[in-house]
Amino acid sequence: MRLLRRASALLLRRGIALYQTRLCQNDSLFRVHPSVSQALAENKPVVALESTIITHGMPYPHNLSTAREVEAIVRAEGATPATVGVINGEVYVGLSPEELNHLAHCESPLKVSRRDLPYVISKGLSGGTTVSATMIAAHRAGIPVFVTGGIGGVHRDGENSLDISADLTELGRTPIAVVSAGVKSILDIGRTLEFLETQGVCVATYGASKNFPAFFSPQSGFISPYQVCNPKEAAKLIESTLSLGLQSSVLIAVPVPEEHAAVGKEIEEAIQTAVTEAGAKGITGRDVTPFILQKVNEMTKGKSLQANIALIHNNAKVGSQIACALSKHSNERRTRGDTHHHEKHSSDSESDIVVIGGINVDFIAKGKNKKLVFGQTNPGSVCQSFGGVGRNIADSMSRLGCRPLLISATGADSHSDAVFNHCKHMNTSGVARLKEQSTATYCVVISESGELSLGLGDMDIHETITEEFVSQFEEQFSSATLVCLDGNIPVSTINYVCSIAAKYNINIWFEPTDSEKACKPFLSDAWKSLSYTSPNLAELVTMNRTLGLPTPEVMPSCPDEVLRVAVALSRPLLEHLHCLVVTLGANGVLLCGEHEAGSVNLQPRKQNKRKHLCALHYPALTVTEEETVNVSGAGDSLAGAIMAGILKHQDTDSCVRTGLLAARLSLLSPHPIAPTLTSGSVDPNKIHTHSWPKPTFMWID
């Protein structure tokens, strides 16, 4: 049985990979939105959406607003929406806002089913894709879940007219999961279910009942052969279908929400009247459905439209949850097969911390002379390591027993191969691997003493960590204890995460990266949603200057003056931030925040009431120039260790001392995060050093 399951999982992955390969080798008839192709490449959840709802299902502006709302619901659930439509003879899988607007305003758009695709493409026409055409496009792109309102079926008197929707035959020959509110009640539901059985389509009602829904009503008078109670069960059913290699689909029938089912009876009566009128007027074929929907909307004074929109919203929510569960289950199985030691982490720890930031391949050059002479070759040594602030922090925390989810991006090149091989101990499932992009590289030149002399970086790929990309993980970071942002990511992404933080009361740690990028959250009110930040003195100056606050013209050199300035610059930020961890190099670390039990409270704030503010200064641990190998990861090691301590509910003193020991290990290692870093190697209770710093306490106000 275990062998069969492994074979099924392999078949599933190969099947998805095959669809994606077809997509990448695609002819010019299919255009896939970058966000969709990126999500598919990383096995992230994607939900296909049809577009006849835009072109034929609703009047303007309800059609456009509903399409936008549905896409927003999909994103809110952690998936990427892929609305399918035909524009000027090309099939679009994923529409931009401008393309959605184009379809909503399109004059005389066609209703494009399987049979219509060749003609519409050959003539360069535009139209909305029906269930069948959307299934074809989604399957070709490798999207396993498609959400619609209701599918077509066998029309009433279909046994004589043979008027049977192409949706049903498509369900029998295209392996994809279709999430709908059952079958439109204007159809012959009994014969439709019989036809689906003949086509080999697995039908299951979603929820607590086996009753098969009839669009506006949760009950049609018929029973589904099967039932799934939640997204996880639905995902397992879909995975079984894909793994078996069946060419038929799965139909997940979702009942309309109860609060909107009350008007179902009134709508049903209007439908019967509209059906009779359509017959009297000789309306047949594809014109029947839009005629009936329009008449029903008129007779119910808009109630049917409201119920229709609510139904589609609900389908989008459920379908997205199923897509996320399917993606998660697939990724978990892949992770178990590739890195067995990940199994030791509990699922609870996986959601504790999310890190959003950069991954770099670092080249560290260290001179052998005290002074480097520019313009000539200097003797020294060069080594390669793996860095990036986000990666470093996630690496540090992973080695200290946490399981952060790292959200980042690399190229699909040899550098990224090396990165993923080096980071097998980390959860990199949130890292996109992008074609036609280069993995970020950073070259740093340091003197014999370990001081930075020159840094060069190719960091363009960090701009791909966009709001749209990050929004796929909203479910993960909205439930996390802590979210860490590094300053490499775009301002718009920082603002987006901060807005989510305000909504869900998330604690955000901002690592500024450098003095130039430290300003990003402070360009707007986004900074007020931060809980922690870990700047050095120059970055702290930038933050204050960006807010229009007074800053020193000359940086102080005297240790006492450095502390005084750091405290003064931290004070205005504490109007909103919970705690500042100011790194002062050779002058140690300064914590500024709320007072609790004679120390600075590092644990997440439990109430909005402001307590007294204080500061705690820890001198640095001694590391000689000869011992210093590099300085590129010390601050990240410190921050990662402190965050790990916060998640483990350690006291402030233990958190900071652990962080100082982690930073010291980094200085002694050629790698930004020392491979020797473990909970035991930086346990302040086990490591006795003659230079243990004694913190200095001071009141701020």
Side-chain angles (χ1 to χ4, degrees):
M1 180 62 72
R2 182 175 299 175
L3 182 62
L4 177 60
R5 288 176 179 172
R6 287 181 180 175
S8 298
L10 179 61
L11 181 60
L12 171 64
R13 291 200 296 273
R14 285 179 177 173
I16 292 176
L18 175 61
Y19 303 152
Q20 293 171 0
T21 300
R22 288 177 180 170
L23 184 63
C24 294
Q25 298 173 344
N26 217 339
D27 53 63
S28 60
L29 301 180
F30 284 76
R31 290 182 174 267
V32 183
H33 194 277
S35 66
V36 175
S37 58
Q38 179 174 313
L40 290 172
E42 295 302 315
N43 200 26
K44 301 298 190 301
V46 179
V47 173
L49 303 166
E50 59 151 301
S51 52
T52 51
I53 189 175
I54 303 171
T55 57
H56 295 79
M58 294 181 184
Y60 182 84
H62 299 289
N63 57 349
L64 182 58
S65 61
T66 300
R68 288 172 175 169
E69 289 162 4
V70 168
E71 288 199 342
I73 289 169
V74 173
R75 292 191 183 97
E77 293 297 329
T80 297
T83 303
V84 178
V86 183
I87 299 177
N88 299 327
E90 293 180 323
V91 181
Y92 283 67
V93 181
L95 297 175
S96 68
E98 294 76 20
E99 289 157 355
L100 274 177
N101 189 62
H102 172 78
L103 276 185
H105 289 88
C106 188
E107 292 185 8
S108 303
L110 294 177
K111 194 173 184 180
V112 184
S113 184
R114 170 184 274 267
R115 73 164 189 184
D116 309 300
L117 276 171
Y119 180 81
V120 172
I121 289 172
S122 70
K123 292 293 185 179
L125 302 176
S126 300
T129 52
T130 64
V131 168
S132 64
T134 306
M135 289 175 68
I136 292 169
H139 173 60
R140 181 160 184 152
I143 302 172
V145 178
F146 161 44
V147 169
T148 183
I151 64 167
V154 178
H155 282 253
R156 300 182 186 189
D157 195 37
E159 68 274 20
N160 296 315
S161 66
L162 296 182
D163 192 350
I164 301 171
S165 171
D167 296 353
L168 301 188
T169 49
E170 202 64 53
L171 283 160
R173 60 185 169 188
T174 302
I176 190 172
V178 179
V179 179
S180 81
V183 178
K184 299 181 179 101
S185 55
I186 61 176
L187 304 171
D188 188 325
I189 295 175
R191 285 189 169 88
T192 297
L193 287 172
E194 288 289 346
F195 195 94
L196 287 172
E197 181 184 357
T198 302
Q199 294 291 312
V201 179
C202 182
V203 179
T205 296
Y206 183 91
S209 170
K210 267 190 165 186
N211 289 318
F212 186 78
F215 206 64
F216 292 118
S217 174
Q219 298 181 1
S220 64
F222 296 90
I223 301 296
S224 289
Y226 304 108
Q227 171 192 5
V228 289
C229 297
N230 52 52
K232 187 174 181 179
E233 287 188 9
K236 286 184 176 180
L237 176 61
I238 296 166
E239 187 178 55
S240 296
T241 303
L242 297 177
S243 298
L244 287 168
L246 302 178
Q247 294 305 303
S248 53
S249 65
V250 178
L251 177 63
I252 307 294
V254 183
V256 66
E258 285 296 330
E259 61 269 26
H260 296 282
V263 298
K265 184 177 180 180
E266 179 183 347
I267 295 172
E268 284 299 326
E269 292 174 355
I271 287 173
Q272 296 301 326
T273 302
V275 168
T276 302
E277 185 176 342
K281 292 185 176 181
I283 298 173
T284 59
R286 64 169 57 194
D287 297 324
V288 171
T289 298
F291 171 82
I292 291 176
L293 291 178
Q294 181 180 350
K295 293 300 294 183
V296 169
N297 187 49
E298 292 173 359
M299 286 186 280
T300 61
K301 298 180 180 179
K303 290 181 181 178
S304 65
L305 178 60
Q306 294 171 10
N308 194 6
I309 293 172
L311 172 150
I312 293 166
H313 285 181
N314 186 59
N315 288 355
K317 181 177 181 179
V318 172
S320 300
Q321 292 171 350
I322 292 171
C324 290
L326 179 63
S327 175
K328 180 180 179 182
H329 191 250
S330 176
N331 284 328
E332 285 175 348
R333 295 183 72 168
R334 180 180 61 184
T335 302
R336 285 197 296 269
D338 294 341
T339 50
H340 297 289
H341 64 277
H342 280 178
E343 293 178 352
K344 66 184 180 181
H345 298 285
S346 69
S347 59
D348 289 337
S349 67
E350 292 181 7
S351 62
D352 280 349
I353 172 73
V354 174
V355 180
I356 308 173
I359 293 176
N360 303 337
V361 176
D362 292 341
F363 296 92
I364 302 172
K366 184 178 182 181
K368 291 184 177 179
N369 297 332
K370 289 186 177 180
K371 289 187 178 180
L372 298 176
V373 181
F374 290 93
Q376 70 179 46
T377 301
N378 293 267
S381 60
V382 179
C383 69
Q384 177 184 338
S385 63
F386 302 95
V389 172
R391 195 217 68 86
N392 287 348
I393 291 174
D395 189 353
S396 174
M397 299 187 71
S398 296
R399 295 180 187 276
L400 294 175
C402 297
R403 183 156 169 77
L405 169 65
L406 175 61
I407 299 175
S408 188
T410 70
D413 50 25
S414 59
H415 285 323
S416 69
D417 292 338
V419 167
F420 282 101
N421 186 57
H422 180 77
C423 299
K424 286 183 177 179
H425 61 291
M426 298 164 55
N427 181 2
T428 56
S429 61
V431 180
R433 202 167 183 179
L434 307 179
K435 293 186 176 182
E436 300 181 359
Q437 292 281 350
S438 298
T439 301
T441 52
Y442 180 63
C443 180
V444 58
V445 181
I446 59 177
S447 65
E448 184 188 30
S449 63
E451 293 299 316
L452 176 67
S453 296
L454 178 68
L456 294 172
D458 176 6
M459 306 292 184
D460 290 348
I461 196 169
H462 295 155
E463 294 302 312
T464 66
I465 308 173
T466 61
E467 172 186 347
E468 187 172 27
F469 171 58
V470 171
S471 67
Q472 302 173 62
F473 304 93
E474 185 174 320
E475 180 180 357
Q476 287 90 327
F477 60 73
S478 65
S479 61
T481 302
L482 191 62
V483 175
C484 177
L485 308 177
D486 92 29
N488 285 304
I489 64 178
V491 173
S492 58
T493 305
I494 293 174
N495 291 344
Y496 163 72
V497 177
C498 286
S499 69
I500 298 298
K503 178 180 178 181
Y504 293 105
N505 195 27
I506 307 166
N507 289 280
I508 294 184
W509 184 301
F510 175 63
E511 168 49 54
T513 308
D514 60 40
S515 57
E516 183 179 329
K517 298 168 185 171
C519 66
K520 289 185 176 181
F522 299 87
L523 296 170
S524 67
D525 283 343
W527 74 276
K528 296 178 180 179
S529 297
L530 302 178
S531 296
Y532 304 87
T533 187
S534 44
N536 60 29
L537 193 57
E539 293 160 354
L540 187 56
V541 168
T542 297
M543 293 173 178
N544 278 261
R545 191 172 293 154
T546 305
L547 293 175
L549 300 171
T551 58
E553 295 182 5
V554 180
M555 297 294 281
S557 56
C558 171
D560 290 342
E561 185 65 13
V562 168
L563 286 179
R564 187 193 67 79
V565 170
V567 169
L569 292 173
S570 298
R571 177 62 184 86
L573 303 188
L574 291 170
E575 290 297 323
H576 294 281
L577 272 72
H578 175 54
C579 183
L580 275 80
V581 180
V582 186
T583 56
L584 301 172
N587 290 310
V589 177
L590 178 72
L591 264 66
C592 299
E594 297 177 359
H595 174 262
E596 184 173 88
S599 182
V600 174
N601 178 22
L602 264 179
Q603 290 301 316
R605 185 185 300 157
K606 297 180 180 179
Q607 55 185 6
N608 293 325
K609 184 178 179 181
R610 172 67 67 187
K611 297 182 179 180
H612 293 298
L613 299 177
C614 66
L616 206 59
H617 173 240
Y618 285 80
L621 293 177
T622 302
V623 180
T624 66
E625 290 186 4
E626 291 75 19
E627 291 176 314
T628 302
V629 178
N630 84 82
V631 295
S632 64
D636 300 337
S637 296
L638 173 81
I642 292 177
M643 283 185 239
I646 291 173
L647 293 179
K648 294 175 182 178
H649 304 287
Q650 295 176 348
D651 61 84
T652 298
D653 196 61
S654 296
C655 289
V656 179
R657 291 187 189 278
T658 300
L660 289 169
L661 288 168
R664 185 184 184 187
L665 274 184
S666 174
L667 293 171
L668 301 176
S669 170
H671 301 281
I673 307 300
T676 56
L677 177 64
T678 63
S679 296
S681 68
V682 291
D683 186 344
N685 297 316
K686 296 180 179 179
I687 298 176
H688 302 282
T689 172
H690 297 297
S691 57
W692 254 132
K694 183 178 180 180
T696 302
F697 177 87
M698 62 193 85
W699 291 105
I700 294 179
D701 59 8

